[in-house]
Amino acid sequence: MIDPAHLRSLLAARREGYSLERPFYTDAAFHELDIDAVFSNEWLFACNVAEIPREGDYITFAIGETPVVVLRGKHGEVGAFFNTCRHRGSVICTEESGHAKRLVCPYHQWVYELDGSLKSARQMPADFDRGEHGLRPVHVEVICGMVYICIADTPPDIARFKAAVTPYIAPHHPERTRVAFSMTIIEDANWKLVIENNRECYHCIGSHPELLATLIEFALPDDPRANRDFQLLMQEKTALWDSLGLPHQPADGGTEFRCIRLPFHRGAVSFTSDGRPACNKLLGDFTERDLGSVRMFRVPNNWNHFLSDHIIHFRVLPISATQTALKTTWLVHEDAVEGVDYHIDTLIDVWRATNAQDATLVAHNQRGVSSKAYTPGPYAPSEFMLTNFTNWYARKLGEHVERMAGGEKTIRLAVAQG
Amino acid sequence: MIDPAHLRSLLAARREGYSLERPFYTDAAFHELDIDAVFSNEWLFACNVAEIPREGDYITFAIGETPVVVLRGKHGEVGAFFNTCRHRGSVICTEESGHAKRLVCPYHQWVYELDGSLKSARQMPADFDRGEHGLRPVHVEVICGMVYICIADTPPDIARFKAAVTPYIAPHHPERTRVAFSMTIIEDANWKLVIENNRECYHCIGSHPELLATLIEFALPDDPRANRDFQLLMQEKTALWDSLGLPHQPADGGTEFRCIRLPFHRGAVSFTSDGRPACNKLLGDFTERDLGSVRMFRVPNNWNHFLSDHIIHFRVLPISATQTALKTTWLVHEDAVEGVDYHIDTLIDVWRATNAQDATLVAHNQRGVSSKAYTPGPYAPSEFMLTNFTNWYARKLGEHVERMAGGEKTIRLAVAQG
Amino acid sequence: MIDPAHLRSLLAARREGYSLERPFYTDAAFHELDIDAVFSNEWLFACNVAEIPREGDYITFAIGETPVVVLRGKHGEVGAFFNTCRHRGSVICTEESGHAKRLVCPYHQWVYELDGSLKSARQMPADFDRGEHGLRPVHVEVICGMVYICIADTPPDIARFKAAVTPYIAPHHPERTRVAFSMTIIEDANWKLVIENNRECYHCIGSHPELLATLIEFALPDDPRANRDFQLLMQEKTALWDSLGLPHQPADGGTEFRCIRLPFHRGAVSFTSDGRPACNKLLGDFTERDLGSVRMFRVPNNWNHFLSDHIIHFRVLPISATQTALKTTWLVHEDAVEGVDYHIDTLIDVWRATNAQDATLVAHNQRGVSSKAYTPGPYAPSEFMLTNFTNWYARKLGEHVERMAGGEKTIRLAVAQG
């Protein structure tokens, strides 16, 4: 375990606007710290409700080594539980996704209702209290069909985020979609390098030809690098979006989240190799194709693109100090028909390629920051979102170390007395 | 290394009749603790003498990372040694089993006799004392052909076990068998989950159709769940076994071991898919097929079934906190002929399937107990042997931590002075 | 991290002339110690200049987890740098070898000159100081075409080594060669076991038939085991070498290095299966084939053979406590033509086989020293170079622990105050 004093001194010595010190990216104990301080204490993007459309549908994943199950309950509500039986601790739902009328532990067939209550436990004695042995619940928040969960006892506030992003996302109706495709890749890098990679397009020109066919690398409407063409494009598109009542100005997300609508290159309307539509059927009630994309992310584990014809969710989960799982999910209108309205390859080609390119970049980044000669380097102005991210991360760790402080003293006393 | 005070407090907080706390099942330091406190300080089942029938036959395995060799010596006696050359420490016997007139280190050809003494070491100087460089011996106890070893300097008592189980086992003459088949599988679970899985049949109905074709899931002659049919079956079979002088009542093994003879389902005489014999030739001097099975286990690493026509030994060895090797060995009468008296598939089908099913169950158990949300759960009454096991285990660790206490203080002083 | 007091007590208890205690060969923390105390603080063999013949050619490898690049600069000079970008730390040269006019980071295209200076960094602000963000240099010493590097701030002295070995090596002109073949194998053993294996031929008779077809196992001209034939051979060959002005007497390398010219078996002139030449074209300006081989090694990571017709470099790099990479490079005269002057198989057969045999031996050695029953064993007289090696190693660690002592105190104070 990391000594709190050591962590405090590392945080105190941190230089704002620079990448983090080596151990944050490489050390197994810091991975455990991240699981505790960040991933066990924040709202995490889990899935879209479209992934669990019917009562009893579920998906599973693990936060560090802690398995959770997210499911659709009896009345259509979304629930989430620790996926560990209260008898001898087996995982209950063993597959990545599935369907069950009730959750039955495969070991000794303890039966849980979809609300987590223990319905039956055969062979247990008469004085066994089923009420004390229900599944431990996990906090859930559904925002326009996006499911966020939090395993902390007391989750941080998410209301501000919800209020801010809903106007941007709601018109795309993520909850009225179906999954067209999803894929998970394992990247050989710390999750923070994966996030940092996502937070800037400084690297795009060198690595992402498919993406740059449609995406403009400027992240702000008033990017100082932007030329007259971009300014004209912005004026034209924002006028169109204003006329449709679609918000586009950057939301005030601070270091916690970001939400903005930005145009594609002139003539492009979707993330395809040539900018043409990815799906004939538009999302929600849209009739206009030229909506650019709403780029929304929230710390620590999610970014998204909301277009006129499809939505892409990205979910990040740390596996170890040097490995991260990235799940990408492409969604189209719930009535869109594969082979008629859209083709998988056309839909996913750009981001499948982009993800693979990023995986190579972050693996090289990981190898380099593992060096004893590595020292934090300065972010470029166009990497301002990395400054936001590392500031947020440092504050999160700082709060955690103060929470630890009380407990730590107790543990030390126990050791000293032993 | 685990802090003794921390370990003491974990043991003190343990709730009897509940599964263990998370770190006992998941933590690498606790794996090391188990190797030290349990596997380096207990009698371990190694093999059947039938696996090393001739002078110079040997088998090897590792206790944690400590290689040992068990061999048949010059006068038919069984010996065991640390399988590490006294020169520069190479393993001497490099294969899992083999035959050697003498043990010759493959590195520099130091030659050891089968009694461990160093016979020759070429190029060593005149004043080199061969007598000081023999193989370090390991304690051996052979019980009815079952070889138990202990690498502790002073092994715990095994006489009580030997006296108690011999009357049950001896009539099956394990020492007059031959190996028909053996297989080792690696299970993705802590060794204690493997043992707990073996100590109850609460899970059988949900997972083991092949096994339950013949095995009755009640573990006691007076199981409170048993119906009238079982009582009648017990009366009938025990009368038969009494008439043959074969003991069947539960031996008084406390938490250390268990030995009992129990019947198969009516009509079944062996662990085959239909209950029919697995081998035409009966063991020892038996003429009666309907002997049920003697179920015998001993902590920490062994369980067995002794039938009228074959014997199955199970040997458990921890590999890491989350991996365990299970070796299963099927033995038949030494004169039985494959293809004539028995067929491998018929002989092994039931337990090969059962082992594979258990491997899946314990892997799921491991995933679930790794959760930060896992808390120890209550054993069912039919899991009473798990209460025995965890009580025994906790006592074993408690004894170890007290032994450590003296040495620990010395180490701390050294650190403080450094 | 290893407690300095614990390390001091281990070093104090060390018995000279015996193999090391278990943790030095097996423990992950001791691996980190070796990376710090030895590999980050010594001259390491990197490559032959023939591996980077043209301006912009480079090779890369990692010292522990620290990537370095060794390259040929603009004026033919050899340079070395930490292979980590000063921006966000990506490795810059991602392949094991390559060619580049300038070093361009694949992440954001920061451009470095071959002298390590930062030429350009797009998008960085006006006040960004390129002069402060050049690649961090690594010390380089080229000795007769052999490139040694050191990543310490202040490298140890290498002048004595250079002066001592140059007269032996220079006539073979390693710098006027080309790479005929190279291969890297991963051995399942601690790097010190790999080095110990190389430092004695006590094991040769039992494992290396191909090697012993030409190599005489005596390591000294006056080996006490040598017979009259060897003495006559030595007289004859050394008279020849004296007449050619080629040194052969053992250099005074202490525990740091060794350099000596020794004959092959009578009739053999090269490391081939039958002792016949490996390459028709002789090295440098040689006209005489019968030059035996100059055996040169230097702690901690290199050994070599210099023959009349080829050179073999061996480079050792630790991967973990129990894994080591061994790279072997065979070089011939720069004008030798494959298929005409030499055939790859003939050239490499003997040492490819010998390396594979040694890999098996050291893997067995590793398994055995991992035993809790392992205790250091006595080196034979013919293993005197292992006594040298372990003495050198213990001294190196001793120096390191004293350097650590000051810093350690500071860290402790910080912890205590926290």
Side-chain angles (χ1 to χ4, degrees):
Chain A
M1 210 182 68
I2 299 162
D3 183 83
H6 178 53
L7 180 54
R8 275 198 206 95
S9 86
L10 274 174
L11 292 173
R14 192 179 71 92
R15 197 167 167 186
E16 186 172 352
Y18 279 70
S19 54
L20 300 168
E21 290 280 355
R22 179 183 191 247
F24 291 102
Y25 297 123
T26 62
D27 192 291
F30 282 76
H31 166 72
E32 293 302 324
L33 175 71
D34 283 0
I35 296 297
D36 287 347
V38 178
F39 282 82
S40 302
N41 198 30
E42 255 303 343
W43 288 98
L44 306 179
F45 174 72
C47 63
N48 189 301
V49 290
E51 297 178 58
I52 45 171
R54 298 164 303 156
E55 172 189 329
D57 286 346
Y58 64 81
I59 63 143
T60 67
F61 59 95
I63 300 167
E65 295 193 281
T66 296
V68 294
V69 55
V70 177
L71 54 75
R72 185 76 79 145
K74 274 196 184 295
H75 309 290
E77 80 284 4
V78 175
F81 302 93
F82 290 103
N83 183 18
T84 288
C85 184
R86 295 296 305 277
H87 174 218
R88 275 168 52 201
S90 175
V91 286
I92 297 167
C93 300
T94 61
E95 303 298 320
E96 211 179 320
S97 64
H99 176 82
K101 207 179 160 82
R102 292 192 183 87
L103 304 184
V104 181
C105 179
Y107 208 164
H108 302 91
Q109 293 75 49
W110 284 27
V111 179
Y112 299 90
E113 298 287 1
L114 296 179
D115 65 1
S117 60
L118 179 60
K119 176 183 161 61
S120 64
R122 61 185 176 86
Q123 292 195 19
M124 293 305 285
D127 63 352
F128 172 69
D129 184 352
R130 289 205 310 278
E132 289 291 310
H133 291 87
L135 291 183
R136 298 179 61 183
V138 166
H139 299 280
V140 176
E141 187 73 42
V142 181
I143 299 173
C144 304
M146 297 178 71
V147 181
Y148 286 83
I149 67 165
C150 179
I151 65 173
D153 290 338
T154 309
D157 178 71
I158 196 169
R160 197 173 73 88
F161 167 69
K162 185 174 185 169
V165 303
T166 295
Y168 295 77
I169 301 175
H172 295 259
H173 288 286
E175 79 289 358
R176 283 165 46 196
T177 59
R178 49 186 289 275
V179 176
F181 197 78
S182 79
M183 65 188 296
T184 299
I185 60 175
I186 307 299
E187 307 197 4
D188 289 326
N190 187 276
W191 71 275
K192 296 185 291 293
L193 294 181
V194 173
I195 294 294
E196 292 190 50
N197 173 267
N198 170 255
R199 295 298 190 258
E200 48 91 0
C201 211
Y202 183 8
H203 71 270
C204 291
I205 189 74
S207 293
H208 298 319
E210 297 85 352
L211 185 66
L212 290 187
T214 54
L215 183 122
I216 298 172
E217 64 177 310
F218 307 142
L220 290 172
D222 54 354
D223 191 291
R225 295 170 294 161
N227 54 18
R228 177 77 186 138
D229 277 356
F230 180 69
Q231 290 162 358
L232 288 173
L233 183 71
M234 281 300 298
Q235 283 170 17
E236 184 182 320
K237 297 304 174 191
T238 55
L240 170 63
W241 302 335
D242 284 335
S243 75
L244 296 166
L246 295 173
H248 51 79
Q249 285 292 327
D252 177 22
T255 61
E256 180 190 340
F257 63 90
R258 170 175 161 85
C259 196
I260 189 170
R261 185 183 300 272
L262 286 168
F264 289 112
H265 278 302
R266 193 173 295 280
V269 297
S270 197
F271 273 134
T272 52
S273 57
D274 55 8
R276 296 168 66 187
C279 184
N280 286 330
K281 191 146 189 59
L282 293 184
L283 292 176
D285 308 313
F286 289 143
T287 54
E288 171 59 54
R289 288 203 169 276
D290 201 358
L291 303 182
S293 86
V294 173
R295 306 185 197 175
M296 188 275 272
F297 70 65
R298 188 182 188 284
V299 286
N301 87 318
N302 169 238
W303 68 90
N304 316 270
H305 286 278
F306 301 85
L307 285 67
S308 65
D309 61 357
H310 70 287
I311 294 170
I312 319 178
H313 298 306
F314 299 81
R315 186 186 74 186
V316 169
L317 290 171
I319 295 173
S320 70
T322 59
Q323 284 199 311
T324 302
L326 173 68
K327 181 176 180 182
T328 307
T329 306
W330 288 263
L331 300 115
V332 293
H333 191 284
E334 58 190 351
D335 297 333
V337 178
E338 185 185 341
V340 177
D341 294 309
Y342 68 96
H343 297 274
I344 298 285
D345 281 343
T346 310
L347 180 68
I348 73 171
D349 267 354
V350 169
W351 273 100
R352 181 170 51 184
T354 302
N355 282 345
Q357 291 149 357
D358 282 332
T360 299
L361 292 174
V362 297
H364 290 155
N365 200 356
Q366 183 70 42
R367 276 172 59 196
V369 299
S370 299
S371 174
K372 294 196 174 178
Y374 163 75
T375 48
Y379 293 136
S382 58
E383 294 174 306
F384 66 95
M385 284 190 257
L386 284 72
T387 301
N388 287 349
F389 171 65
T390 47
N391 283 351
W392 171 85
Y393 173 73
R395 192 169 60 246
K396 197 83 189 169
L397 291 202
E399 290 166 9
H400 181 73
V401 75
E402 295 320 316
R403 273 197 306 274
M404 283 164 73
E408 260 295 306
K409 275 170 199 161
T410 314
I411 288 169
R412 280 195 192 171
L413 284 172
V415 171
Q417 286 163 354
Chain B
M1 212 182 67
I2 299 162
D3 182 84
H6 177 54
L7 181 54
R8 272 195 208 99
S9 86
L10 274 175
L11 292 174
R14 191 179 71 92
R15 198 166 166 187
E16 185 171 353
Y18 279 69
S19 55
L20 299 168
E21 290 280 356
R22 179 182 190 248
F24 291 103
Y25 296 123
T26 62
D27 192 291
F30 282 76
H31 166 72
E32 293 302 325
L33 175 70
D34 282 359
I35 296 297
D36 287 348
V38 178
F39 282 82
S40 302
N41 198 29
E42 255 303 343
W43 289 97
L44 307 178
F45 174 71
C47 64
N48 189 301
V49 290
E51 298 179 56
I52 45 172
R54 297 163 303 155
E55 174 189 328
D57 286 346
Y58 63 81
I59 63 144
T60 67
F61 58 95
I63 300 167
E65 295 192 281
T66 297
V68 293
V69 56
V70 178
L71 54 75
R72 186 76 78 145
K74 275 195 185 297
H75 309 290
E77 80 286 3
V78 176
F81 302 93
F82 289 104
N83 183 18
T84 288
C85 184
R86 295 297 305 278
H87 174 218
R88 276 169 51 201
S90 174
V91 287
I92 298 167
C93 299
T94 61
E95 303 298 321
E96 211 180 321
S97 64
H99 177 82
K101 208 179 158 82
R102 294 193 182 85
L103 305 183
V104 181
C105 179
Y107 208 165
H108 303 89
Q109 293 76 47
W110 283 27
V111 179
Y112 299 90
E113 298 287 1
L114 297 179
D115 64 3
S117 61
L118 180 60
K119 176 182 159 62
S120 64
R122 61 186 176 85
Q123 292 195 18
M124 293 305 285
D127 63 351
F128 172 68
D129 184 351
R130 289 204 311 277
E132 288 292 309
H133 291 88
L135 291 183
R136 296 179 63 182
V138 166
H139 299 279
V140 176
E141 187 72 42
V142 181
I143 299 174
C144 304
M146 297 178 72
V147 181
Y148 286 83
I149 67 165
C150 179
I151 65 172
D153 290 338
T154 309
D157 177 70
I158 196 169
R160 196 174 73 90
F161 167 69
K162 184 174 187 170
V165 303
T166 295
Y168 295 78
I169 301 174
H172 295 258
H173 288 286
E175 79 288 359
R176 283 164 46 195
T177 58
R178 49 186 291 274
V179 176
F181 197 78
S182 79
M183 65 187 296
T184 298
I185 61 174
I186 307 300
E187 306 197 4
D188 289 327
N190 187 276
W191 71 275
K192 295 185 291 293
L193 295 181
V194 173
I195 293 294
E196 291 189 52
N197 172 267
N198 171 255
R199 295 296 191 258
E200 48 89 1
C201 211
Y202 184 8
H203 71 271
C204 291
I205 190 73
S207 292
H208 297 320
E210 297 85 351
L211 184 67
L212 290 186
T214 55
L215 183 121
I216 299 172
E217 64 176 310
F218 308 142
L220 291 172
D222 54 354
D223 191 292
R225 297 168 293 161
N227 54 18
R228 178 76 187 140
D229 277 356
F230 179 69
Q231 290 162 358
L232 287 173
L233 183 70
M234 280 302 295
Q235 283 170 19
E236 184 182 318
K237 297 304 175 191
T238 55
L240 171 63
W241 302 336
D242 284 336
S243 76
L244 296 167
L246 296 172
H248 51 79
Q249 286 291 328
D252 178 22
T255 61
E256 180 190 342
F257 63 91
R258 171 177 159 85
C259 196
I260 189 172
R261 184 183 301 271
L262 286 168
F264 289 112
H265 278 302
R266 194 173 293 279
V269 297
S270 197
F271 272 134
T272 52
S273 56
D274 55 8
R276 294 168 68 185
C279 184
N280 288 329
K281 192 146 188 58
L282 292 184
L283 292 175
D285 308 313
F286 289 143
T287 54
E288 172 59 54
R289 287 202 170 278
D290 201 358
L291 303 183
S293 87
V294 174
R295 304 186 198 174
M296 187 275 272
F297 70 63
R298 189 182 187 286
V299 287
N301 88 318
N302 170 237
W303 68 89
N304 316 270
H305 286 278
F306 301 85
L307 285 68
S308 65
D309 61 356
H310 71 287
I311 293 169
I312 320 177
H313 298 306
F314 299 82
R315 187 187 74 186
V316 168
L317 290 171
I319 295 173
S320 70
T322 60
Q323 284 199 312
T324 302
L326 174 67
K327 181 177 181 183
T328 307
T329 306
W330 288 262
L331 300 116
V332 293
H333 191 285
E334 59 191 350
D335 297 332
V337 178
E338 186 185 338
V340 177
D341 294 308
Y342 68 96
H343 296 273
I344 298 284
D345 281 343
T346 311
L347 179 69
I348 74 170
D349 268 353
V350 170
W351 273 101
R352 180 170 51 182
T354 303
N355 282 346
Q357 292 149 356
D358 282 332
T360 299
L361 293 174
V362 297
H364 291 154
N365 200 357
Q366 184 69 42
R367 275 173 59 197
V369 299
S370 299
S371 174
K372 294 195 176 180
Y374 163 75
T375 48
Y379 294 136
S382 58
E383 295 175 305
F384 66 95
M385 284 190 258
L386 284 72
T387 301
N388 287 348
F389 171 64
T390 46
N391 284 352
W392 171 84
Y393 173 73
R395 192 170 59 245
K396 197 83 189 170
L397 292 201
E399 291 166 8
H400 182 72
V401 75
E402 294 320 316
R403 273 197 306 274
M404 285 165 71
E408 260 294 307
K409 275 170 199 160
T410 314
I411 290 169
R412 281 198 190 166
L413 284 172
V415 171
Q417 288 164 353
Chain C
M1 211 183 68
I2 299 163
D3 182 83
H6 178 54
L7 180 54
R8 274 195 206 97
S9 87
L10 273 175
L11 292 174
R14 192 178 71 93
R15 198 166 166 188
E16 185 172 354
Y18 279 69
S19 54
L20 299 168
E21 289 281 356
R22 180 182 189 246
F24 291 103
Y25 296 123
T26 62
D27 192 292
F30 282 77
H31 166 71
E32 293 302 325
L33 175 71
D34 282 359
I35 296 297
D36 288 347
V38 177
F39 282 83
S40 301
N41 198 30
E42 256 303 342
W43 288 97
L44 306 178
F45 175 71
C47 63
N48 189 301
V49 290
E51 297 179 56
I52 44 172
R54 296 163 305 156
E55 173 189 328
D57 286 346
Y58 64 80
I59 63 144
T60 67
F61 59 96
I63 299 166
E65 295 193 281
T66 297
V68 293
V69 56
V70 178
L71 54 75
R72 185 77 79 146
K74 275 197 184 294
H75 309 291
E77 80 285 5
V78 176
F81 302 94
F82 289 104
N83 183 18
T84 288
C85 183
R86 295 297 305 278
H87 174 217
R88 277 170 50 203
S90 175
V91 286
I92 298 167
C93 300
T94 62
E95 303 297 321
E96 210 179 322
S97 65
H99 177 83
K101 207 179 159 82
R102 293 192 183 87
L103 305 185
V104 181
C105 180
Y107 209 164
H108 303 89
Q109 293 74 50
W110 284 27
V111 179
Y112 300 90
E113 299 286 2
L114 296 179
D115 65 3
S117 60
L118 179 60
K119 177 182 160 63
S120 64
R122 60 187 178 85
Q123 293 193 18
M124 294 305 286
D127 63 352
F128 172 69
D129 184 352
R130 287 205 312 278
E132 288 292 308
H133 291 86
L135 292 182
R136 297 178 62 183
V138 166
H139 299 280
V140 176
E141 186 74 42
V142 180
I143 299 174
C144 304
M146 297 178 71
V147 181
Y148 286 83
I149 67 165
C150 180
I151 65 172
D153 291 337
T154 309
D157 177 71
I158 197 170
R160 197 174 72 89
F161 166 70
K162 184 174 188 170
V165 303
T166 295
Y168 295 77
I169 301 175
H172 295 258
H173 288 286
E175 79 288 358
R176 282 164 47 197
T177 59
R178 51 184 290 274
V179 176
F181 197 78
S182 78
M183 66 187 295
T184 299
I185 60 174
I186 308 299
E187 306 197 3
D188 289 326
N190 186 277
W191 70 275
K192 296 184 291 295
L193 294 181
V194 173
I195 294 294
E196 292 190 50
N197 172 268
N198 170 256
R199 295 299 191 257
E200 49 88 2
C201 211
Y202 183 8
H203 71 270
C204 291
I205 189 75
S207 293
H208 297 320
E210 298 85 353
L211 184 65
L212 290 187
T214 55
L215 183 121
I216 298 173
E217 65 176 309
F218 307 141
L220 292 172
D222 54 354
D223 190 292
R225 296 169 295 160
N227 54 17
R228 177 78 188 138
D229 276 358
F230 179 70
Q231 290 162 358
L232 287 173
L233 183 71
M234 282 300 298
Q235 283 170 19
E236 185 183 317
K237 298 303 173 191
T238 54
L240 170 64
W241 303 336
D242 285 335
S243 77
L244 297 166
L246 295 173
H248 51 79
Q249 284 293 327
D252 178 21
T255 61
E256 180 191 341
F257 63 90
R258 170 176 160 84
C259 197
I260 188 172
R261 184 183 300 271
L262 286 168
F264 289 112
H265 278 302
R266 192 173 295 279
V269 297
S270 197
F271 272 133
T272 52
S273 56
D274 56 7
R276 294 167 66 184
C279 184
N280 287 330
K281 191 146 189 57
L282 293 185
L283 292 175
D285 307 313
F286 289 143
T287 53
E288 170 59 54
R289 287 202 171 276
D290 200 359
L291 303 183
S293 87
V294 173
R295 305 186 198 174
M296 188 276 272
F297 69 64
R298 189 182 186 286
V299 287
N301 88 319
N302 170 239
W303 68 90
N304 316 269
H305 285 278
F306 300 86
L307 285 67
S308 65
D309 60 357
H310 71 287
I311 293 170
I312 319 178
H313 298 306
F314 299 82
R315 186 186 74 186
V316 169
L317 290 171
I319 294 173
S320 70
T322 60
Q323 285 199 310
T324 302
L326 174 68
K327 181 175 181 184
T328 308
T329 306
W330 288 262
L331 301 116
V332 293
H333 190 285
E334 60 190 351
D335 297 333
V337 178
E338 186 186 339
V340 177
D341 294 309
Y342 67 95
H343 297 273
I344 297 285
D345 281 343
T346 310
L347 180 69
I348 74 171
D349 267 353
V350 169
W351 273 100
R352 179 169 53 181
T354 302
N355 281 345
Q357 291 149 357
D358 282 332
T360 299
L361 292 174
V362 297
H364 290 154
N365 200 357
Q366 184 71 40
R367 276 173 60 197
V369 299
S370 299
S371 174
K372 295 196 175 179
Y374 163 75
T375 47
Y379 294 135
S382 58
E383 295 175 305
F384 66 95
M385 283 190 258
L386 284 73
T387 301
N388 286 349
F389 171 64
T390 46
N391 282 353
W392 171 83
Y393 172 73
R395 192 170 60 245
K396 197 84 188 170
L397 292 202
E399 290 166 10
H400 181 73
V401 76
E402 295 320 315
R403 274 196 305 273
M404 284 165 73
E408 261 294 307
K409 275 171 201 158
T410 313
I411 289 170
R412 281 196 192 169
L413 284 173
V415 171
Q417 287 164 355

